[in-house]
């Protein structure tokens, strides 16, 4: 089983972030909502954490949440723009007018 399907993600609406736990601590992606759009604004990882594939899987899980909730995703962070470029299957989640 791959990491994406076993990941437990908490939508912490109070802190406005998606969270998951790794051995080194908390990994989170901060967001804000506006209309039916979710703006992904920041990725937080523990200092010693360098697993880019894990972060990519975490973002894939967040994209699935956006699909389920029928949200458009606005990538604010350059790292998330890169994610969209590497994973073109999620480009349908971008609001009209946003080009990467």
């Amino acid at each position: 089983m791959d990491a994406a399907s076993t990941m437990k993600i908490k939508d912490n609406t109070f802190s406005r972030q998606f969270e998951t736990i790794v051995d080194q601590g908390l990994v989170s992606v901060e967001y804000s909502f506006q209309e039916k759009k979710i703006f992904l604004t920041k990725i937080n990882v523990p200092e010693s954490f360098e697993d880019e594939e894990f972060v990519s899987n975490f973002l894939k899980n967040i994209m699935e949440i956006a699909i389920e909730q029928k949200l458009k995703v606005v990538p604010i962070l350059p790292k998330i723009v890169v994610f969209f470029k590497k994973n073109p299957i999620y480009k349908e989640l971008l609001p009209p007018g946003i080009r990467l």
Side-chain angles (χ1 to χ4, degrees), residues 49-62:
F49 188 78
E50 294 178 6
D51 189 344
E52 291 300 321
E53 188 176 336
F54 183 90
V55 172
S56 180
N57 282 333
F58 188 34
L59 288 171
K60 286 177 185 174
N61 276 272
I62 291 169

Side-chain angles (χ1 to χ4, degrees), residues 70-89:
K70 296 180 175 33
L71 298 171
K72 292 295 185 185
V73 178
V74 181
I76 302 297
L77 208 58
K79 193 176 211 172
I80 296 174
V81 171
V82 169
F83 169 84
F84 271 98
K85 287 180 178 176
K86 287 182 180 174
N87 299 278
I89 59 166

Side-chain angles (χ1 to χ4, degrees), residues 14-25:
F14 180 76
S15 297
R16 294 199 314 269
Q17 64 186 16
F18 294 106
E19 304 171 343
T20 192
I21 304 290
V22 294
D23 290 341
Q24 297 91 331

Side-chain angles (χ1 to χ4, degrees), residues 5 12 23 28 30 37 50 63 71-72 77 83 92:
S5 61
N12 184 335
D23 290 341
S28 65
E30 295 178 17
K37 296 185 198 87
E50 294 178 6
M63 296 307 138
L71 298 171
K72 292 295 185 185
L77 208 58
F83 169 84
E92 69 200 35

Side-chain angles (χ1 to χ4, degrees), residues 15-51:
S15 297
R16 294 199 314 269
Q17 64 186 16
F18 294 106
E19 304 171 343
T20 192
I21 304 290
V22 294
D23 290 341
Q24 297 91 331
L26 184 72
V27 175
S28 65
V29 174
E30 295 178 17
Y31 63 78
S32 63
F33 276 113
Q34 190 177 337
E35 296 157 4
K36 290 286 284 172
K37 296 185 198 87
I38 185 168
F39 292 75
L40 301 179
T41 56
K42 189 174 180 189
I43 297 174
N44 302 300
V45 297
E47 231 173 87
S48 60
F49 188 78
E50 294 178 6
D51 189 344

